[in-house]
Amino acid sequence: MTVNLTSAPDTPLTFHGEMTIYTANEQFQHLQQHLSTHPSLVLDLSGVTELDSAGLQLVLMAHTEATRRNIPFRLHNPSLIVQEVFHLLRLERALMPTTTAPKSGS
Amino acid sequence: MSLNMDAARQAFIEEVAELLQSMEDALLALEDNPADNESLNEVFRAMHTIKGTGGVFGYMPVVEFTHAVESVMEEVRSGREPMSEQLICILFACRDHTSRLIEAIVEMGEDSGKPLSSDLIATGHDLLKQLTQRTLQTTNITPNTPEQPKYLPIVSDVWMIALDFGRNALRNGMDPLSFLRYLGSLGDIVDVVTLSVPPPLNEEFDPESCYLSFRIAFRSDADKPTIAAVFEFAEDDCDIRILPPDSAQDTYLDLLASLSDTQVTRIGEMLVSIGALTPNELARALAHQADERNTDAISETHSEHTANQRLGDILIQQGSIKPAVLEQAAKTQEAARAKRQDETRFIRVDAERLGHLINLVGELVTSSAAIRIMVERAGVENMNEVVDSVDYLVAEIRDNALQLRMVPIGESLSRFRRVVRDTSKELGKNIELVITGGDTELDKTVVEKITDPFMHLIRNAVDHGIESPEERARVGKPVNGTITVNAYHDSGHIVIEIEDDGAGLDVKRIRAKAEAKGLVKPEDTLSHEETLRLIFAPGLSTKDSATNLSGRGVGMDVVRQNIEALRGSVELDSVLGQGTKITIILPLTLAIIDGFLVGAGRDQYVIPLSQVAECVEMKAAGEMLKPHNGHYINLRGEVLPFIRLTELFNNQHTVRHEHRESLVVVRFGHHKVGLVVDTLLGELQTVIKPLGKLFEELRGIAGATILGTGDIALILDVSELAMIGQMKRHHSDLRHS
Amino acid sequence: MAKTIMVVDDSASLRNVVCIALKSAGYDVIEACDGRDALAKLTGQKVHLIVSDVNMPNMDGITLVREVKKLPNYKFTPIMMLTTESQPEKKQQGKEAGAKAWLVKPFQPPVLLDAVSKLVLP
């Protein structure tokens, strides 16, 4: 897992590798840092290889926090693994209003 | 995969051989020291492991057998049951049997699904029997496995599933996403609302805690237990509510309504048993209920009803069931409870004891009447009131005691179903027996005595009444014949009708037969009813060929005599080609009699009313025929023997009064006899008190009763009097010829 | 990416069958013959689920659960115990130690797969 931090205003917060309960604490620290230094929240989840409930919860928490702070929230290029979870929970519209979510099932 | 399985199977067989060897060693050790714990464990472990691994391979006979042995070993190991020499013997045999089972499986190779040899099965059964029977002797525990509830299939519709995960769910290794993924394999997840409710301040947010809740709309054909099983591992860490679709509600309602009484238990358990509620949902609601009670400051009486109400409310609140289902559950429970109370309302009492009680009550009635006479004679005025109230109480006791012996007639009628079924089959007829009014009550002693005449009448209807299917078809009747038995109460009597839609009685043939037998003369004119009644005459059978069912000889005359011996009467109606209806009227009890009170000489007599044919003035009755000192009278052209009661009982008034004698004509069966009495005193209902042993030989007397005046009246036995009359006639006939 | 399941049981034949079933369903499987062996083999491996017997030599299943819960990299790993209906007290001990899932022996392979996939899909 790696986290890239840059100071540009629209710089994404990038999560690599697994987003699970084993990594949740550390990734939460990064999220808090990022929020304190950036006026927006763009999450780059393109490199996420595993997403469990703890990881999902973190993404949801980020979204809630951005809404609360009234700052822009965007998911950048989520990996297929992430998209699968979003689809399972019908979260595409809430979290990725701009991107077209993969359609299937319902 | 099969290659791998072969290797695995081989490993299993080798493992079993080792385990069985150590089991044998342990058993040998146990023979020397039955309390050796290590050896006990070894035996248990061997069976346990073989069972576990055998199950994985699907060797069910091995699993079943070793499971039984393991269970017994568990009892021994835990000290609930002693190790005995006998048990060790059985265990040796069990070890050998397990070995043979495995051998058999090895031989089968790939076809392990093949049935075992009958020899092997028999040995297994025998051993299991030895094991269980021994267990029964020592522990006397019969496992009471409740019937598996049948879970209902649900038609496609949307389930609502609410999942609220606990804070520790993630830390405990639960991944809510896994459950949702798995749920998706059971049906179609229509929609999900994901709620993440972290604490408001982000400092308190713990990424390892779980704040997730889901509301899921789910379409599936799976039943509730199956859906609940998806979340079985999450039960400790998640609040799970599963609300079935509307379409399932109707099924639940039906299931509830059809629960048998033994299945009706506590309301929650009922709902679980039909699959409307999961055990977990119930447990949570009960816990909630307990909490509520603890916080309840007002100590309220917790009747089961209010408890139910609350549990139901909690279940609805937590979204586990819908109100309609709960309502039906409560209804079913109420109905079962009412029925149970019904059952406990009754106690079984020996009929003999009841009979004894009724006899004692009879004595009491007599004694209390005697007291009244004594009091009146002694002229103790102020005792009258007491005597009155005693009289009243005694009368109440009498009525209640008689009521105790009343039973519904249905039970004895329903045994005829079998008779009708069997006889009609034998005769190749299709006959339906319809019984109505089965709950009509009458005295048990009467019920017992009418069974035989009834049987005869029913058989008659089956044998002679209902025609063969071909014959019925020919005359345009439904092929299936019907025999209807109907019972009802009518003014202190029970009326039982036996009706068939058969051929009916042929009046012409009855007449012809009766003439041939000399019962009637060709010149006699008889009405339709009178002709029909002729079949009650002895030896008149209208069926030309006798069958082995109703036979010959035992005819309607016997039936009639039996019924009249019960102070009942029998009537007959029949239309040729349409059917026959026999109506039997019986007193509700033999202990009470509807009588006709007469006076003769110094005494009073009661004649059973049902046997009184008519009363005429002696002088108007016609001239006396005195062929040979016999007593005969010409009653409208009929020669009637008569008995003068004063002569029979030898109790004339010492001072002869000039009075008008009356003739009471009584009948018994085919016989008629006249009784000459001094006065007619009218009808009365009275208790029969049997006469003591001393009077057993007394002919013509059935019992005694105490009259309202305190006098004792003798109850006449009409059947015996009729015999006396007939014998006189017979003698005189002989002398006459 | 296939999920990895560790199977711990002292009966080699049972392990065998369980492994065949899990592999055929698409899981990666690591085998261990007892608790001690399991702990040794965990190191350096990513494991999504541990399926363990209770009665084992060297280290039994309950102790294994306690030990796994102490390891930072595995403390959240779900553990499924294979137990028998005659061991209710074991189940209680296991629950207290931190095992959450149970499967009653004997079981047919499809039942195992069903239970496993409630926790981890391949």
Side-chain angles (χ1 to χ4, degrees):
Chain A
M1 180 214 76
T2 41
V3 182
N4 294 328
L5 287 172
T6 39
S7 49
D10 246 14
T11 322
L13 172 62
T14 308
F15 292 125
H16 268 302
E18 65 178 80
M19 284 186 81
T20 65
I21 184 153
Y22 291 105
T23 61
N25 254 325
E26 204 181 328
Q27 284 162 342
F28 177 57
Q29 303 296 324
H30 292 307
L31 180 68
Q32 276 186 310
Q33 275 177 34
H34 188 90
L35 278 171
S36 60
T37 52
H38 291 79
S40 71
L41 189 53
V42 179
L43 293 180
D44 182 346
L45 304 178
S46 58
V48 173
T49 56
E50 191 178 352
L51 183 73
D52 73 356
S53 296
L56 169 77
Q57 188 171 261
L58 200 66
V59 176
L60 290 173
M61 192 266 168
H63 179 251
T64 312
E65 195 60 24
T67 314
R68 199 175 63 81
R69 295 181 183 208
N70 204 16
I71 57 169
F73 174 87
R74 201 155 54 82
L75 288 178
H76 179 68
N77 199 18
S79 70
L80 278 176
I81 297 262
V82 175
Q83 286 187 37
E84 184 267 321
V85 172
F86 287 177
H87 177 66
L88 175 70
L89 300 181
R90 310 296 187 272
L91 286 169
E92 302 101 331
R93 248 177 306 145
L95 295 177
M96 303 184 295
T98 49
T99 50
T100 39
K103 277 281 164 199
S104 75
S106 73
Chain B
M1 183 157 153
S2 85
L3 236 168
N4 280 335
M5 283 303 276
D6 274 343
R9 202 173 279 134
Q10 193 51 43
F12 169 67
I13 290 160
E14 280 163 23
E15 206 172 76
V16 168
E18 274 174 36
L19 287 163
L20 289 180
Q21 185 55 49
S22 56
M23 177 175 174
E24 190 165 48
D25 294 346
L27 284 174
L28 287 168
L30 283 172
E31 260 185 335
D32 293 328
N33 179 12
D36 181 9
N37 260 329
E38 212 178 302
S39 300
L40 286 176
N41 281 334
E42 200 56 51
V43 176
F44 172 80
R45 213 176 114 77
M47 287 291 111
H48 173 80
T49 309
I50 294 172
K51 178 185 90 171
T53 316
V56 174
F57 282 93
Y59 298 153
M60 290 330 281
V62 176
V63 174
E64 278 157 25
F65 184 74
T66 49
H67 173 72
V69 184
E70 187 203 354
S71 308
V72 172
M73 283 313 296
E74 177 67 25
E75 292 297 300
V76 177
R77 214 164 61 126
S78 59
R80 283 189 287 268
E81 200 185 311
M83 177 53 92
S84 67
E85 211 172 296
Q86 181 204 9
L87 180 55
I88 291 174
C89 266
I90 301 171
L91 286 170
F92 267 115
C94 289
R95 192 220 80 99
D96 296 346
H97 183 68
T98 309
S99 175
R100 276 195 298 274
L101 280 174
I102 301 290
E103 274 169 30
I105 286 161
V106 174
E107 274 176 25
M108 283 179 205
E110 278 295 317
D111 314 324
S112 59
K114 258 190 352 200
L116 296 167
S117 73
S118 55
D119 185 17
L120 212 50
I121 292 172
T123 317
H125 274 295
D126 186 34
L127 281 170
L128 289 182
K129 213 163 116 193
Q130 285 183 38
L131 270 176
T132 48
Q133 279 177 351
R134 188 202 43 78
T135 312
L136 280 178
Q137 278 164 16
T138 47
T139 60
N140 204 16
I141 296 166
T142 36
N144 190 10
T145 41
E147 220 182 286
Q148 275 293 310
K150 289 181 235 65
Y151 291 126
L152 61 163
I154 304 291
V155 290
S156 275
D157 215 324
V158 175
W159 294 71
M160 296 305 298
I161 303 170
L163 304 173
D164 294 304
F165 283 90
R167 288 284 180 269
N168 286 324
L170 302 178
R171 275 189 284 268
N172 283 333
M174 296 295 112
D175 186 358
L177 288 176
S178 309
F179 299 120
L180 266 90
R181 284 195 186 100
Y182 184 84
L183 184 68
S185 71
L186 286 183
D188 181 19
I189 296 177
V190 179
D191 202 2
V192 185
V193 178
T194 307
L195 307 161
S196 178
V197 207
L201 294 172
N202 58 0
E203 283 79 24
E204 284 176 26
F205 179 80
D206 178 350
E208 288 176 4
S209 287
C210 186
Y211 306 99
L212 294 171
S213 285
F214 299 96
R215 299 291 178 268
I216 304 159
F218 181 56
R219 185 176 288 130
S220 171
D221 291 338
D223 58 19
K224 189 162 184 176
T226 306
I227 294 172
V230 173
F231 308 103
E232 64 176 325
F233 298 138
E235 276 171 3
D236 292 345
D237 294 304
C238 186
D239 196 10
I240 306 157
R241 278 160 292 159
I242 302 167
L243 190 60
D246 281 335
S247 56
Q249 305 297 326
D250 292 341
T251 326
Y252 289 144
L253 294 181
D254 289 350
L255 275 175
L256 275 175
S258 64
L259 278 180
S260 74
D261 291 338
T262 50
Q263 288 170 300
V264 176
T265 47
R266 311 250 298 272
I267 203 150
E269 288 157 18
M270 284 163 58
L271 291 168
V272 170
S273 82
I274 63 159
L277 198 63
T278 67
N280 209 41
E281 284 171 330
L282 175 61
R284 196 179 44 212
L286 288 172
H288 184 80
Q289 191 182 29
D291 282 355
E292 229 174 39
R293 271 189 206 166
N294 290 341
T295 53
D296 233 357
I298 317 145
S299 71
E300 197 184 321
T301 47
H302 283 295
S303 72
E304 202 182 337
H305 186 66
T306 59
N308 268 348
Q309 203 82 49
R310 290 198 173 176
L311 180 62
D313 291 345
I314 294 166
L315 286 170
I316 291 170
Q317 266 169 32
Q318 73 181 22
S320 299
I321 56 166
K322 294 196 174 171
V325 176
L326 183 79
E327 212 171 280
Q328 179 62 48
K331 257 190 228 160
T332 306
Q333 197 184 28
E334 199 53 52
R337 187 180 302 140
K339 198 166 172 189
R340 258 201 294 272
Q341 275 170 356
D342 241 31
E343 276 162 13
T344 52
R345 252 173 47 205
F346 294 115
I347 50 166
R348 301 175 71 87
V349 179
D350 188 347
E352 216 168 278
R353 287 192 192 185
L354 268 186
H356 188 54
L357 173 70
I358 285 162
N359 282 346
L360 287 176
V361 170
E363 299 277 349
L364 187 62
V365 171
T366 315
S367 301
S368 103
I371 289 170
R372 175 169 284 281
I373 297 165
M374 302 279 278
V375 167
E376 274 166 8
R377 277 190 195 150
V380 196
E381 285 282 318
N382 47 3
M383 270 192 72
N384 276 342
E385 212 175 299
V386 184
V387 173
D388 278 348
S389 73
V390 169
D391 268 1
Y392 170 74
L393 288 173
V394 167
E396 284 284 288
I397 290 171
R398 180 195 67 191
D399 292 348
N400 277 292
L402 290 174
Q403 193 62 42
L404 289 181
R405 227 167 33 182
M406 294 299 203
V407 293
I409 195 172
E411 230 170 276
S412 62
L413 290 183
S414 60
R415 82 177 65 164
F416 296 128
R417 286 190 193 285
R418 182 63 193 275
V419 175
V420 170
R421 185 193 155 276
D422 291 356
T423 16
S424 60
K425 216 170 195 178
E426 202 172 313
L427 293 167
K429 295 179 181 177
N430 300 325
I431 300 171
E432 191 191 355
L433 178 66
V434 179
I435 296 172
T436 52
D439 49 0
T440 312
E441 288 188 331
L442 77 165
D443 196 303
K444 190 164 167 50
T445 51
V446 181
V447 173
E448 283 161 4
K449 286 175 182 163
I450 57 169
T451 310
D452 282 350
F454 260 48
M455 186 73 83
H456 191 85
L457 290 174
I458 299 265
R459 280 193 166 156
N460 259 346
V462 175
D463 196 2
H464 306 307
I466 308 280
E467 316 90 326
S468 65
E470 302 79 41
E471 173 67 12
R472 290 181 69 90
R474 198 181 60 78
V475 298
K477 282 183 178 182
V479 177
N480 289 352
T482 308
I483 298 173
T484 313
V485 178
N486 182 32
Y488 57 92
H489 278 163
D490 182 35
S491 60
H493 286 76
I494 186 169
V495 182
I496 303 157
E497 299 165 344
I498 301 170
E499 194 172 358
D500 67 64
D501 64 350
L505 294 168
D506 188 342
V507 182
K508 283 186 192 127
R509 276 177 60 197
I510 295 172
R511 173 84 197 214
K513 280 241 166 188
E515 279 179 21
K517 293 242 169 202
L519 292 166
V520 284
K521 292 188 187 92
E523 63 271 24
D524 288 346
T525 47
L526 291 174
S527 69
H528 177 71
E529 284 73 30
E530 281 170 329
T531 317
L532 286 175
R533 289 196 73 85
L534 285 173
I535 69 158
F536 290 119
L540 194 115
S541 172
T542 54
K543 183 102 176 172
D544 290 326
S545 66
T547 67
N548 60 338
L549 286 165
S550 29
R552 199 182 277 277
V554 183
M556 295 293 283
D557 57 323
V558 177
V559 170
R560 181 177 171 178
Q561 276 179 27
N562 282 338
I563 287 166
E564 290 186 345
L566 296 169
R567 301 194 311 273
S569 64
V570 53
E571 283 163 25
L572 184 73
D573 190 16
S574 181
V575 178
L576 186 62
Q578 287 181 23
T580 306
K581 178 177 178 181
I582 295 164
T583 307
I584 294 162
I585 302 169
L586 287 165
L588 290 181
T589 172
L590 297 180
I592 283 187
I593 185 170
D594 269 324
F596 188 67
L597 188 66
V598 296
R602 295 185 302 268
D603 296 317
Q604 292 177 333
Y605 301 91
V606 176
I607 305 166
L609 195 59
S610 58
Q611 284 166 302
V612 174
E614 59 179 319
C615 298
V616 288
E617 218 174 288
M618 197 59 185
K619 278 177 183 158
E623 63 188 84
M624 308 279 273
L625 309 167
K626 284 193 180 176
H628 294 280
N629 289 333
H631 290 65
Y632 293 95
I633 195 166
N634 181 355
L635 184 65
R636 293 188 299 268
E638 188 184 350
V639 178
L640 185 78
F642 70 87
I643 298 164
R644 188 165 263 119
L645 290 183
T646 48
E647 284 174 12
L648 184 67
F649 297 112
N650 196 21
N651 63 342
Q652 290 100 330
H653 278 287
T654 39
V655 187
R656 268 202 165 263
H657 296 286
E658 200 46 48
H659 62 271
R660 294 191 297 182
E661 286 181 318
S662 294
L663 181 75
V664 181
V665 182
V666 297
R667 54 176 167 76
F668 174 73
H670 190 59
H671 315 296
K672 267 187 182 173
V673 66
L675 302 174
V676 179
V677 302
D678 294 338
T679 44
L680 301 174
L681 296 165
E683 293 176 23
L684 86 167
Q685 195 179 47
T686 186
V687 175
I688 300 175
K689 195 193 160 318
L691 292 171
K693 282 219 169 351
L694 200 61
F695 304 103
E696 242 170 33
E697 296 297 310
L698 200 58
R699 293 192 65 199
I701 302 293
T705 188
I706 311 290
L707 302 172
T709 56
D711 291 336
I712 289 170
L714 294 172
I715 297 163
L716 298 179
D717 186 332
V718 173
S719 60
E720 281 182 9
L721 291 176
M723 296 303 256
I724 294 167
Q726 288 300 311
M727 268 162 62
K728 279 188 176 172
R729 180 181 184 170
H730 187 62
H731 285 311
S732 65
D733 282 355
L734 281 177
R735 266 176 269 163
H736 196 60
S737 54
Chain C
M1 198 183 74
K3 298 281 164 58
T4 307
I5 298 176
M6 175 177 271
V7 178
V8 192
D9 200 304
D10 58 330
S11 161
S13 54
L14 185 131
R15 265 198 329 264
N16 225 327
V17 175
V18 170
C19 287
I20 292 167
L22 290 176
K23 279 176 185 167
S24 70
Y27 295 99
D28 285 342
V29 184
I30 300 169
E31 289 182 53
C33 65
D34 58 43
R36 198 189 291 169
D37 190 29
L39 286 178
K41 285 177 175 163
L42 269 180
T43 324
Q45 293 269 11
K46 175 79 190 168
V47 171
H48 294 91
L49 173 68
I50 298 169
V51 177
S52 173
D53 188 20
V54 176
N55 285 321
M56 288 181 296
N58 294 324
M59 185 191 285
D60 67 16
I62 309 289
T63 316
L64 174 65
V65 177
R66 290 201 189 100
E67 290 303 316
V68 168
K69 289 287 158 192
K70 289 179 194 162
L71 301 172
N73 289 332
Y74 302 98
K75 59 179 175 181
F76 303 129
T77 306
I79 302 171
M80 179 187 290
M81 308 294 306
L82 304 179
T83 178
T84 63
E85 67 273 52
S86 57
Q87 295 173 297
E89 70 285 350
K90 290 282 181 195
K91 184 166 177 173
Q92 193 48 41
Q93 283 176 24
K95 276 205 166 185
E96 281 161 17
K100 287 289 159 182
W102 299 86
L103 192 62
V104 175
K105 283 202 286 191
F107 50 78
Q108 293 281 308
V111 178
L112 171 85
L113 282 179
D114 218 40
V116 165
S117 49
K118 285 172 191 171
L119 295 165
V120 180
L121 275 184

